[in-house]
């Protein structure tokens, strides 16, 4: 496939995923005082797995940690999972600041994800009575895939990190979708226009902060993890996911990698795409 053809297909996939109207949640709750510290909740419709209380899926949206992208663009995916029988929580978090081109805020982006994870079980019990917070799967797309892997690894953060948790998260597993999972490789490939370095505060802070933020350096986690990756992804190339899986193997941990042929970056969260059904199946395998 020529570069022009690949780019055209990628553009068509992006157009498709953003063509869906946002789907409003059944409830929204705050996990902090900032306007972006909220979680949307979608009650399960249908039945997943063997019945009983529904598993919970915490969704973290992508968008290169940049402010123009928020949870609205991933709400059709959240609704898709709810229609498959999952109880879904879609968390917002602080992204780039006043400059829309900047990726993330240090330390606010990480503060928010940690706080959302800590608040989730109580909010699920309050707002999703048909859900079982003991069966929680963490998922996220692209930059959100990075945050999903990071959130599951808080118990292995360096000592002294404000986000370090006392023990491993009560998760059934993580399904990271085209995740920015290895900062060294992503940085070399200039993924999302230098977003990794921007997230960590720029060149002067990259090496200092990387051990606190790079999932590839936070292994093993002891939590079942699957990466879903399109082979035709031009935004976060396959090499990034494979490098994370290799780092996990060196650390003595097996990470599943599901590679999808002729799939780019966006079909993984597009309810109109077959790849989205594959994602739901991967989540279901871990949820039960």
């Amino acid at each position: 496939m020529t570069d022009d053809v690949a780019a055209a297909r990628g553009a068509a996939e992006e157009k498709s995923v953003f063509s869906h109207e946002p789907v409003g949640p059944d409830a929204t709750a705050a996990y902090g005082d900032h306007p972006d510290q909220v979680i949307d909740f979608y009650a399960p419709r249908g039945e997943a797995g063997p019945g009983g209380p529904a598993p919970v899926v915490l969704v973290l949206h992508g968008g290169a940690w940049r402010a123009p992208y928020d949870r609205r663009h991933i709400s059709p995916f959240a609704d898709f999972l709810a229609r498959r029988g999952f109880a879904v929580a879609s968390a917002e978090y602080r992204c780039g600041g006043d400059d829309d081109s900047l990726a993330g805020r240090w330390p606010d982006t990480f503060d928010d994800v940690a706080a959302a994870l800590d608040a989730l079980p109580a909010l699920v019990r309050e707002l999703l009575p048909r859900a079982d917070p003991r069966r929680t799967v963490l998922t996220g797309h692209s930059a959100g895939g990075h945050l999903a892997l990071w959130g599951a690894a808080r118990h292995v953060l360096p000592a002294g990190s404000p986000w370090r948790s006392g023990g491993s998260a009560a998760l059934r597993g993580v399904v990271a979708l085209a995740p920015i999972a290895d900062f060294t490789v992503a940085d070399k490939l200039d993924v999302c226009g230098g977003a990794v370095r921007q997230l960590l505060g720029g060149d002067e802070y990259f090496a200092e902060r990387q051990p606190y933020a790079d999932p590839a350096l936070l292994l093993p986690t002891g939590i079942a993890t699957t990466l879903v990756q399109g082979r035709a992804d031009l935004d976060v190339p396959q090499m990034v996911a494979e490098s994370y899986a290799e780092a996990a193997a060196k650390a003595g941990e097996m990470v599943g990698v599901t590679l999808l042929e002729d799939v780019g970056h966006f079909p993984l969260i597009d309810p109109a795409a077959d790849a989205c059904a594959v994602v739901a199946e991967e989540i279901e395998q871990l949820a039960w």
Side-chain angles (χ1 to χ4, degrees):
M1 180 183 298
T2 66
D3 290 345
D4 288 345
V5 172
R9 182 171 65 182
E13 291 173 342
E14 182 174 2
K15 181 179 179 180
S16 177
V17 80
F18 284 102
S19 70
H20 303 291
E21 288 294 323
V23 179
D26 296 301
T28 300
Y31 64 86
D33 295 331
H34 191 276
D36 288 339
Q37 293 175 321
V38 295
I39 303 175
D40 287 341
F41 291 92
Y42 297 78
R45 296 180 285 282
E47 188 171 293
V56 177
V57 182
L58 176 60
V59 176
L60 295 166
H61 70 81
W65 311 285
R66 292 189 171 114
Y69 302 94
D70 61 21
R71 69 193 186 283
R72 286 175 296 180
H73 83 268
I74 209 168
S75 63
F77 173 71
D79 176 69
F80 173 82
L81 294 178
R83 287 187 281 110
R84 297 282 293 242
F86 297 106
V88 181
S90 180
E92 192 56 83
Y93 54 89
R94 282 172 284 183
C95 297
D98 296 334
D99 185 346
D100 287 349
S101 68
L102 291 179
R105 303 187 199 182
W106 181 278
D108 300 349
T109 300
F110 297 92
D111 287 345
D112 289 358
V113 173
L117 281 166
D118 291 342
L120 183 67
L123 292 175
V124 167
R125 285 190 289 269
E126 176 186 352
L127 298 171
L128 296 175
R130 293 174 52 202
D132 184 357
R134 297 169 300 176
R135 298 183 184 278
T136 297
V137 174
L138 190 51
T139 192
H141 178 242
S142 193
H146 155 261
L147 293 172
L149 294 170
W150 178 85
R154 288 171 59 206
H155 59 293
V156 295
L157 282 167
S161 168
W163 308 301
R164 184 180 170 101
S165 59
S168 61
L171 297 173
R172 286 284 176 163
V174 181
V175 179
L177 315 176
I180 305 177
D182 184 314
F183 279 11
T184 298
V185 174
D187 183 53
K188 289 179 179 176
L189 296 176
D190 196 33
V191 165
C192 298
V196 166
R197 284 189 177 262
Q198 292 172 19
L199 175 68
L200 300 190
D203 294 349
E204 62 182 306
Y205 295 110
F206 184 76
E208 173 189 339
R209 293 174 175 174
Q210 187 179 4
Y212 296 87
D214 186 348
L217 301 182
L218 300 173
L219 291 163
T221 66
I223 294 173
T225 300
T226 298
L227 312 185
V228 184
Q229 176 74 42
R231 286 189 181 273
D233 193 329
L234 300 179
D235 296 275
V236 184
Q238 176 181 333
M239 186 186 307
V240 180
E242 290 179 334
S243 180
Y244 176 85
E246 291 168 4
K250 290 177 181 177
E253 189 161 79
M254 183 64 67
V255 167
V257 181
T258 299
L259 297 174
L260 303 180
E261 295 291 341
D262 299 322
V263 170
H265 192 61
F266 291 101
L268 304 178
I269 58 166
D270 185 349
D274 292 341
C276 200
V278 175
V279 169
E281 291 167 2
E282 295 287 359
I283 292 172
E284 186 168 340
Q285 287 185 30
L286 293 182
W288 295 103

